[in-house]
């Protein structure tokens, strides 16, 4: 624990304890941690109530068992006072069930007197969290002040659209008080139609999409109709159910025209009239969502005018702007209404083609280039321009907006390097990629028979004791001419060609065989984890395949652990649950890998027969310095323990991360902090001797991929 500065304010401790010696022991532990203590010891409910009334306390520490007073009654006394003060229970022999009951009733932590080394860190944490709660309460009070102090008309409804609160501005503008409108729908004073359609549709949009805004007409208490710009926002609970709607409105009768102009400028380019970067972002996200939903192909094109700067420099920016407008008009006439042409700035345009193909994108690019080549009559000047186009394809070249845009921009520069007036796909070197695909596919077909695959094992280490408690099997392909081929190069080929199941079965058999051999040689018995691909898991014979691998090796099912990603499980949740239950009946442990990075669904999580949750390395990278990553890791650990699951942290690389995991109760970890992945013989020696050879010792250099990932995720 970091010591507290000596000039800090004293820690105000209310101590429920009848033993002076035990009280002195607790105080000494705190003082050793650098605290200056202001303590008051009480032994009864009456003394405690008096103390709570007399002063403000930073923390309450209570012995569990006292002759006349105990921790449950002390906690009840604190709760009755209405004060938010951390409550920590200390006991010499408190059992786990009692401790859990105390935590459920409202205690913040519990400690055994034999483990008072945790006292300082626990108090520091609880005091900090109490301060955070105090600040959160202040923020709520501030929010209430803003709600009633703002000049916008605000109304809050429940999930059934019944008004439950309005602010002062609402009452002043409409003439209606809260008593007048309580439990009424806001539509009682809205005209049935808005500028955008039926008002009922607006509420449906707000409920399904989370937000709606538009112009409405309010009929105030005097009977007058006034135009308002209304925003309706849905507030969801953690289960994604709408609990409230927030309606915020402003009178726009005096600024309607100006507002329309502002909206236009916010979304459209003033030179060409095309969508600008903001509207382009909205449209491409919408198009990408539709492409995912319907398994369509989408093309993103970056188009740049060749040597446009020369025109601007020689003929001036006004004429250059006119040329840009003419280019925009030609591009717009060459696209469908479902496509988008936008100007991002300068002479850079971007085009989104929906429901297309690679061939269709190439044909469209040719059409654009030919259309732009035609001369432009600009006053006394006849101008000709050409363009270069870079193209990226969804889903081949990316699954998100940023990646597709970046890849299209990269392809644009390849097109310019080729001599301009041309187009280039991001996957420009298609011959090389096709050759590598054929080569890898052919080599993969014989890799199992030729014994070219090997498994390495990354130790899984107990966070507290530092002992090895298991390992994760990692696949390596040692090809006679290509050398060591890492999984991120060949796994996708194996999945595309259907060879992943044969390779996955080999990994299962080899893992079981190796673990059985180690156990027969007298090594400690622990599970070896294998990553399962989506193709494997979806095979109706997968459970039988696991059974065969275990039977052939004579391995107890408890010592083969299967790791599944959230994405695999949630692709078909009900089928996944049935398969996992069948594996559970075999007594095969199951872990969720990369937890929190996929499609987490807690309603399904509690139904899954799991034994472990794995904290993804992407969250561990920021621990303990990044507050968001740290909060996520703590939440995963807490959730796992609540569900009686064990936790494994991936990608642990330095002491601070390990200390963080130890503080918050993570069970085990793996990563370069302990060792790199080890060949079987080296792993066996490490388990026997307890020493990691220097060449495999902890290092943050390099990242390894798991034996059988659903993708090419790494450890």
């Amino acid at each position: 624990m970091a010591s507290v500065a000596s000039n800090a304010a004293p820690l105000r401790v209310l101590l429920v304890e009848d033993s002076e010696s035990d009280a002195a022991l607790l105080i000494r532990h705190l003082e050793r941690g650098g605290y200056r203590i202001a303590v008051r010891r009480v032994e009864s409910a009456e003394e405690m109530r008096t103390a709570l009334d007399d002063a403000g306390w930073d923390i309450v520490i209570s012995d569990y068992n006292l002759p006349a007073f105990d921790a449950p009654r002390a906690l009840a006394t604190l709760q009755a006072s209405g004060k938010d003060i951390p409550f920590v229970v200390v006991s010499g022999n408190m059992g786990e069930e009692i401790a859990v009951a105390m935590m459920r009733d409202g205690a913040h932590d519990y400690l055994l007197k034999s483990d008072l080394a945790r006292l300082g860190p626990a108090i520091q944490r609880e005091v900090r969290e109490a301060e955070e709660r105090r600040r959160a309460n202040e923020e709520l009070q501030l929010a209430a002040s803003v709600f009633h102090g703002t000049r916008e008309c605000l109304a809050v409804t429940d999930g059934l659209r019944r008004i439950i609160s309005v602010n002062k501005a609402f009452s002043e503008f409409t003439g209606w008080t809260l008593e007048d409108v309580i439990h009424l729908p806001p539509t009682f004073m809205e005209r049935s139609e808005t500028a955008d359609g039926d008002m009922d549709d607006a509420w449906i949009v707000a409920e399904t999409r989370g937000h709606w805004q538009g112009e409405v007409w309010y009929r105030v208490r005097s009977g007058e109709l006034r135009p308002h710009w209304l925003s309706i926002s849905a507030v969801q609970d953690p289960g994604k159910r709408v609990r409230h709607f927030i309606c915020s409105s402003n009178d726009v009768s005096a600024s309607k025209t100006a507002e329309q102009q502002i909206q236009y400028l916010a979304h459209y380019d003033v030179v060409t009239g095309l969508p600008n970067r903001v509207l382009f972002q909205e449209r491409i996200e919408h198009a990408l969502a539709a492409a995912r939903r319907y398994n369509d192909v989408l093309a993103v094109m970056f188009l740049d005018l060749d040597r446009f700067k020369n025109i601007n420099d020689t003929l001036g920016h006004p004429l250059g702007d006119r040329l840009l407008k003419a280019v925009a008009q030609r591009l717009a006439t060459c696209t469908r209404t479902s496509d988008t042409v936008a100007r991002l700035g300068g002479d850079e345009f971007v085009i989104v083609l929906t429901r297309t193909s690679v061939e269709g994108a190439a044909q469209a690019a040719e059409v654009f280039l030919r259309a732009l080549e035609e001369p432009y009559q600009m006053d006394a000047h006849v101008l000709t321009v050409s363009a270069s186009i870079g193209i990226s394809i969804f889903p081949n070249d990316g699954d998100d907006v940023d990646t597709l845009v970046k890849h299209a921009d990269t392809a644009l520069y390849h097109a310019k390097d080729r001599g301009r007036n041309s187009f280039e796909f991001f996957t420009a070197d298609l011959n090389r990629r096709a050759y590598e695909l054929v080569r890898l596919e052919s080599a993969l077909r014989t890799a199992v028979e030729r014994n070219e695959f090997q498994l390495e094992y990354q130790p899984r280490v107990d966070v507290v004791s530092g002992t090895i408690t298991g390992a994760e099997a990692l696949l390596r392909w040692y090809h006679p001419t290509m050398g060591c081929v890492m999984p991120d190069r060949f796994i996708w080929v194996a999945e595309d060609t259907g060879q992943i199941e044969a390779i996955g079965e080999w990994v299962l058999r080899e893992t079981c065989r190796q673990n059985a051999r180690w156990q027969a040689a007298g090594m400690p018995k622990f599970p070896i984890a294998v990553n399962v691909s989506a193709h494997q898991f979806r095979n109706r014979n997968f459970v039988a395949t696991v059974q065969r691998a275990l039977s052939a090796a004579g391995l107890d099912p408890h010592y083969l652990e299967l790791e599944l990603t959230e994405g695999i499980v949630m692709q078909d949740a009900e089928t996944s649950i049935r398969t996992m239950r069948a594996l559970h009946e075999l007594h095969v442990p199951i872990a969720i890998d990369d937890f929190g990075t996929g499609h987490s669904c807690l309603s399904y999580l509690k139904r899954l027969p799991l034994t472990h949750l794995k904290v993804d390395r992407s969250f561990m990278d920021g621990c303990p310095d990044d507050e968001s990553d740290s909060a996520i890791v703590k939440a995963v650990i807490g959730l796992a323990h609540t569900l009686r699951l064990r936790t494994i942290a991936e990608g642990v690389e330095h002491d601070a991360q390990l200390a963080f995991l130890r503080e918050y109760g993570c069970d085990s970890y793996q990563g370069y902090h302990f060792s790199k992945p080890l060949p079987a013989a080296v792993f066996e020696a490490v388990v026997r001797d307890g020493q990691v050879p220097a060449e495999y010792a902890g290092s943050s250099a390099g990242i390894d991929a798991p034996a059988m990932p659903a993708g090419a995720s790494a450890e």
Side-chain angles (χ1 to χ4, degrees):
M1 164 189 158
S3 62
V4 181
S6 59
N7 59 354
L11 180 70
R12 297 164 298 178
V13 180
L14 181 57
L15 185 57
V16 184
E17 176 62 76
D18 65 339
S19 170
E20 292 187 6
S21 60
D22 285 353
L25 178 64
L26 294 172
I27 293 170
R28 282 199 302 274
H29 271 276
L30 290 175
E31 289 175 340
R32 287 172 187 166
Y35 283 108
R36 290 193 299 120
I37 306 298
V39 64
R40 181 168 174 179
R41 186 164 63 88
V42 297
E43 300 181 24
S44 67
E46 183 178 354
E47 290 180 357
M48 185 174 179
R49 282 191 290 269
T50 301
L52 289 171
D53 291 338
D54 288 348
W57 302 99
D58 295 314
I59 194 156
V60 177
I61 303 175
S62 176
D63 196 337
Y64 183 76
N65 265 321
L66 298 177
F69 199 37
D70 58 14
R73 283 184 285 176
L75 177 59
T77 301
L78 173 61
Q79 292 171 338
S81 73
K83 297 179 183 291
D84 183 12
I85 304 173
F87 188 93
V88 176
V89 184
V90 178
S91 175
N93 55 2
M94 179 169 50
E96 182 178 349
E97 291 184 0
I98 295 176
V100 171
M102 287 297 301
M103 297 289 284
R104 188 185 301 116
D105 290 340
H108 294 81
D109 205 347
Y110 68 91
L111 301 168
L112 294 176
K113 292 182 179 179
S114 60
D115 190 23
L116 288 181
R118 285 188 54 227
L119 180 61
I123 288 179
Q124 187 178 36
R125 181 181 66 251
E126 297 303 336
V127 170
R128 181 179 67 246
E129 292 178 356
E131 175 64 17
E132 291 171 356
R133 291 195 298 272
R134 184 190 63 78
R135 292 177 180 173
N137 187 55
E138 289 179 351
E139 290 177 1
L140 287 174
Q141 294 177 358
L142 176 61
S145 299
V146 172
F147 178 79
H148 291 289
T150 184
R151 295 308 302 159
E152 291 187 11
C153 297
L154 297 178
V156 180
T157 79
D158 59 17
L160 299 177
R161 308 178 197 171
R162 298 173 301 193
I163 294 175
I164 59 175
S165 181
V166 298
N167 70 346
K168 182 179 178 182
F170 176 94
S171 297
E172 290 177 349
F173 172 77
T174 65
W176 307 102
T177 65
L178 178 60
E179 289 74 17
D180 297 326
V181 300
I182 190 74
H183 294 156
L184 292 177
T187 50
F188 86 93
M189 62 177 185
E190 296 165 356
R191 202 163 69 178
S192 62
E193 291 187 354
T194 73
D196 301 317
D198 191 272
M199 195 61 213
D200 288 338
D201 293 340
W203 283 94
I204 293 171
V205 170
E207 183 168 1
T208 56
R209 300 184 184 177
H211 183 73
W212 178 89
Q213 62 178 3
E215 182 183 314
V216 299
W217 289 83
Y218 276 162
R219 187 178 300 278
V220 298
R221 191 162 192 163
S222 65
E224 180 185 358
L225 279 172
R226 295 184 188 176
H228 256 231
W229 187 258
L230 172 66
S231 294
I232 306 173
S233 298
V235 180
Q236 297 178 335
D237 64 14
K240 301 299 183 182
R241 293 172 297 184
V242 175
R243 290 300 189 189
H244 301 284
F245 291 96
I246 300 175
C247 305
S248 170
S249 64
N250 284 297
D251 187 348
V252 295
S253 55
S255 57
K256 195 172 178 181
T257 301
E259 183 67 23
Q260 291 174 345
Q261 181 64 20
I262 290 172
Q263 288 297 316
Y264 181 87
L265 294 175
H267 293 91
Y268 290 89
D269 173 54
V270 294
V271 174
T272 63
L274 294 176
N276 62 10
R277 188 180 298 273
V278 173
L279 186 54
F280 161 74
Q281 187 75 18
E282 294 178 4
R283 289 191 178 180
I284 191 173
E285 287 176 353
H286 178 78
L288 198 55
R292 291 193 190 100
R293 187 179 306 115
Y294 300 111
N295 294 319
D296 287 335
V297 174
L298 177 145
V300 178
M301 296 183 172
F302 259 43
L303 184 150
D304 191 86
L305 300 182
D306 298 330
R307 301 181 178 87
F308 177 76
K309 185 175 183 297
N310 294 340
I311 295 176
N312 258 348
D313 292 345
T314 57
L315 301 179
H317 289 278
L319 191 142
D321 287 349
R322 290 174 57 194
L323 178 60
L324 289 173
K325 186 173 183 179
V327 167
Q329 290 170 345
R330 291 191 186 182
L331 292 175
T333 59
C334 295
T335 56
R336 303 163 297 178
T337 56
S338 61
D339 302 330
T340 294
V341 182
R343 179 184 177 224
L344 302 186
D347 61 338
E348 192 174 65
F349 297 83
V350 63
I351 304 161
V352 178
L353 302 181
T354 61
R355 308 193 73 172
T356 185
S357 63
V358 173
E359 295 77 10
Q363 293 171 0
E366 288 282 6
V367 170
F368 294 143
L369 293 177
R370 301 292 80 81
L372 297 184
E373 283 179 340
E374 294 295 322
Y376 300 83
Q377 184 71 49
M378 298 286 167
D379 298 333
H381 304 283
V382 178
L383 306 177
T384 57
V385 295
S386 64
S388 299
I389 301 175
I391 309 171
S392 65
I393 301 293
F394 167 85
N396 300 5
D397 303 325
D399 188 56
D400 59 87
V401 173
D402 291 341
T403 301
L404 290 168
V405 168
K406 180 179 71 174
H407 288 173
D409 194 34
T410 300
L412 170 64
Y413 284 97
H414 286 303
K416 287 185 175 291
D417 289 341
R418 284 186 57 194
R420 305 175 189 271
N421 196 27
S422 64
F423 66 89
E424 192 76 31
F425 284 90
F426 170 70
T427 51
D429 196 2
L430 292 176
N431 288 335
R432 183 198 62 77
R433 183 177 179 185
Y435 171 77
E436 182 175 8
L437 175 61
V438 172
R439 184 185 182 200
L440 286 173
E441 180 181 350
S442 176
L444 275 173
R445 293 190 185 281
T446 58
V448 173
E449 291 76 14
R450 294 181 178 181
N451 295 318
E452 292 173 358
F453 288 124
Q454 293 182 24
L455 292 180
E456 293 184 356
Y457 301 87
Q458 183 157 48
R460 181 182 296 172
V461 184
D462 186 272
V463 168
V464 176
S465 68
T467 58
I468 296 175
T469 59
E472 181 178 2
L474 304 171
L475 183 63
R476 300 292 181 266
W477 180 18
Y478 291 93
H479 188 269
T481 59
M482 291 185 288
C484 181
V485 185
M486 298 300 287
D488 59 349
R489 284 186 59 197
F490 69 85
I491 288 297
W492 67 273
V493 179
E495 290 179 334
D496 284 350
T497 58
Q499 298 179 62
I500 194 72
E501 292 182 17
I503 296 172
E505 184 171 355
W506 179 88
V507 171
L508 284 171
R509 287 190 282 106
E510 179 61 17
T511 301
C512 293
R513 186 199 65 80
Q514 181 64 76
N515 200 1
R517 191 188 71 80
W518 279 333
Q519 292 184 15
M523 281 181 57
K525 294 182 178 182
F526 45 58
I528 305 296
V530 172
N531 284 264
V532 179
S533 77
H535 289 73
Q536 277 182 285
F537 191 66
R538 295 284 167 252
N539 189 312
R540 65 179 64 185
N541 297 319
F542 176 63
V543 176
T545 300
V546 173
Q547 283 180 300
R548 286 197 303 270
L550 290 166
S551 298
L555 182 69
D556 186 320
H558 291 91
Y559 301 114
L560 171 66
E561 181 178 303
L562 301 180
E563 294 188 1
L564 304 168
T565 65
E566 292 176 293
I568 291 175
V569 174
M570 296 311 299
Q571 282 175 7
D572 183 352
E574 294 301 328
T575 300
S576 297
I577 291 172
R578 288 194 294 271
T579 302
M580 293 169 72
R581 285 176 176 168
L583 292 167
H584 181 68
E585 290 175 2
L586 295 179
H587 304 293
V588 175
I590 303 173
I592 290 294
D593 195 12
D594 303 337
F595 182 73
T597 63
H599 307 283
S600 299
C601 183
L602 299 184
S603 64
Y604 279 104
L605 183 63
K606 67 182 182 181
R607 297 173 55 194
L608 302 179
L610 302 175
T611 56
H612 294 78
L613 287 185
K614 295 192 75 173
V615 180
D616 187 65
R617 66 173 297 123
S618 62
F619 301 133
M620 287 305 305
D621 285 344
C623 286
D625 298 322
D626 185 279
E627 292 183 359
S628 297
D629 283 347
S630 298
I632 291 172
V633 173
K634 287 191 287 185
V636 172
I637 294 171
L639 173 64
H641 288 173
T642 300
L643 296 174
R644 300 184 182 277
L645 305 177
R646 298 184 67 80
T647 49
I648 306 164
E650 298 180 299
V652 177
E653 297 183 354
H654 52 76
D655 290 338
Q657 291 174 324
L658 182 57
F660 175 88
L661 294 174
R662 187 178 294 118
E663 178 181 358
Y664 289 99
C666 183
D667 298 295
S668 56
Y669 76 96
Q670 61 188 71
Y672 279 45
H673 180 274
F674 184 84
S675 87
K676 301 176 182 178
L678 306 171
V682 178
F683 178 81
E684 181 176 346
V686 170
V687 174
R688 290 188 183 279
D689 304 332
Q691 296 294 323
V692 179
E695 62 267 34
Y696 298 104
S699 165
S700 61
I703 295 176
D704 254 306
M708 194 51 52
S713 60
E715 176 53 45

